[in-house]
Amino acid sequence: MKTYQIENDEVRIEFIARGGCLTKMINKKTDTNYLIHYADLDEYQTNPYFLGATIGRNAGRTSPPFYTNAAGEKVELDCNEGKLHLHGGQNGLHFQEWKVERLHGSAYELNFVDTASPYENMQFRLVYRLEKNRFRIEMYGKANIPTICNLTNHAFFNLNADKTTIETHQLKTAEASLQLIDSEFVPTKGYVDFGDGEPDYAPFNFNSRAEVGKAFQLGTELSEICAGGIDLAYCFKEPDDIEMPKIELTDDTETNQLVIRSNQEACVIYTANKITAPTPINIGRHMTKYQGITFEMQRKPNYVHEAMEYLTDDYYTFTEYEIL
């Protein structure tokens, strides 16, 4: 499986065409790969944990598994997680082979036309661009009629050089409300503002910098639904402020830092709580619980059941990773 590379004096990025998966984001100052990747590239053929993958057509869980198209017709979606449609279903973008072309020394373009999913046909273009210590993903979609489009990248981060778990990482989010989920992990129309004083939700508040592990194994109803970790959407109060960091992550030694900016309105934070079959990953370890943390920058999850105006024929979003 061919690996593509973008590199300068500060950062090296590596990815593959399968799913457009990111495999390495190396801080060359500390010689640390910030990403979890499979030890065997053949694992990306199935990629059970969506490591580094481009996710779509609709990131997250869609339940009930249908949407209403621009003509007002109900379109049934395939189920690939029990009765749920997860991350685009059985023909999600993470399974597709993207056509890769180099734009210039610091950028690649990836193209794919989606004609096999339950959704209306749509043409996609990704641009992976590296400038100094900032890696930027731009995602474009074009369709002939308005359709569903909600993409994200599903990279798992671990800033520890020895790749111990991320429990002691320090995390800060932009000011956000928490979207609640039900017992089937389905995002609901319920939202919590941390200023409301609900004690069960306080450990999930990262509006101020705090240790990730403070939200682990709490014994509360929400903690048990999240399998003892974090698996929740943070809906930003000021999503249009693209200069403001949406996510700030630091390892416990303050050696490696990551800052994420995006024009997306929400971020699903997931701390690998539901790992059932440990799989070999980089530096001789296995993918186990809390091994990494992913920041799925996207629209509010399950949005297809909230607002018809989210149908689009012209999609654009970006996420930028500053490697410190």
Side-chain angles (χ1 to χ4, degrees):
M1 191 175 294
K2 182 175 180 179
T3 298
Y4 299 87
Q5 182 174 299
I6 316 173
E7 184 174 18
N8 59 26
D9 291 339
E10 299 182 58
V11 175
R12 183 166 82 247
I13 303 295
E14 294 186 11
F15 67 94
I16 58 175
R18 176 77 169 181
C21 292
L22 303 177
T23 59
K24 292 183 181 179
M25 183 183 291
I26 296 177
N27 182 342
K28 296 176 73 172
K29 293 186 298 183
T30 63
D31 193 29
T32 304
N33 180 14
Y34 283 14
L35 300 184
I36 298 294
H37 66 83
Y38 296 112
D40 183 354
L41 287 179
D42 285 342
E43 291 287 344
Y44 286 97
Q45 297 295 340
T46 56
N47 199 356
Y49 303 126
F50 306 96
L51 298 189
T54 300
I55 298 298
R57 297 278 295 271
N58 187 25
R61 295 174 174 87
T62 305
S63 179
F66 72 87
Y67 71 98
T68 303
N69 67 17
E73 302 164 332
K74 182 178 177 180
V75 180
E76 298 287 347
L77 299 173
D78 60 298
C79 297
N80 58 330
E81 187 187 62
K83 298 180 180 180
L84 307 178
H85 178 78
L86 174 66
H87 288 335
Q90 298 174 13
N91 289 308
L93 296 181
H94 61 288
F95 285 133
Q96 309 308 322
E97 291 289 331
W98 292 70
K99 181 181 179 182
V100 180
E101 296 182 7
R102 190 154 204 156
L103 294 179
H104 47 74
S106 60
Y108 277 92
E109 181 177 282
L110 295 78
N111 287 277
F112 177 73
V113 180
D114 183 13
T115 60
S117 76
Y119 303 95
E120 292 80 12
N121 293 353
M122 197 166 200
Q123 183 173 347
F124 292 100
R125 180 167 66 96
L126 309 178
V127 176
Y128 290 173
R129 190 187 315 276
L130 179 63
E131 184 174 349
K132 296 183 179 179
N133 67 329
R134 296 191 179 197
F135 174 63
R136 185 181 180 98
I137 299 176
E138 296 177 320
M139 297 178 167
Y140 301 83
K142 290 282 188 181
N144 291 329
I145 57 176
T147 183
I148 296 296
C149 189
N150 180 29
L151 310 186
T152 192
N153 182 276
H154 206 285
F156 277 94
F157 294 91
N158 186 320
L159 308 191
N160 290 324
D162 61 1
K163 292 295 180 287
T164 51
T165 67
I166 49 82
E167 293 176 77
T168 56
H169 278 41
Q170 297 288 316
L171 173 63
K172 183 180 185 301
T173 69
E175 189 175 359
S177 298
L178 199 66
Q179 184 183 27
L180 300 180
I181 58 177
D182 64 21
S183 59
E184 300 297 320
F185 319 121
V186 175
T188 71
K189 296 181 181 179
Y191 297 87
V192 170
D193 282 325
F194 293 113
D196 293 344
E198 295 285 347
D200 287 355
Y201 305 131
F204 296 97
N205 182 0
F206 292 94
N207 288 346
S208 298
R209 176 172 153 159
E211 193 173 271
V212 174
K214 76 166 186 166
F216 293 175
Q217 302 296 347
L218 302 173
T220 62
E221 181 181 4
L222 183 58
S223 180
E224 291 179 3
I225 290 174
C226 291
I230 307 171
D231 189 5
L232 297 165
Y234 289 71
C235 302
F236 301 117
K237 297 292 184 69
E238 299 182 40
D240 295 332
D241 187 346
I242 61 175
E243 294 300 321
M244 176 180 63
K246 298 295 195 296
I247 299 292
E248 298 175 67
L249 186 70
T250 309
D251 72 351
D252 53 356
T253 66
E254 305 281 341
T255 301
N256 295 299
Q257 300 177 59
L258 177 72
V259 175
I260 302 176
R261 298 175 178 86
S262 180
N263 64 344
Q264 294 278 40
E265 65 180 348
C267 177
V268 173
I269 300 178
Y270 172 56
T271 51
N273 322 321
K274 303 165 188 172
I275 303 301
T276 56
T279 303
I281 56 170
N282 41 322
I283 65 167
R285 292 183 178 271
H286 286 75
M287 187 67 177
T288 56
K289 194 167 186 174
Y290 310 139
Q291 194 67 57
I293 183 170
T294 185
F295 303 103
E296 303 168 48
M297 311 300 297
Q298 60 182 274
R299 289 172 171 166
K300 291 180 181 179
N302 214 22
Y303 75 96
V304 302
H305 295 304
E306 287 198 26
M308 280 289 289
E309 63 265 25
Y310 276 118
L311 293 173
T312 182
D313 58 4
D314 189 6
Y315 179 84
Y316 169 75
T317 187
F318 81 88
T319 300
E320 183 179 85
Y321 306 89
E322 186 177 8
I323 297 98
L324 298 169

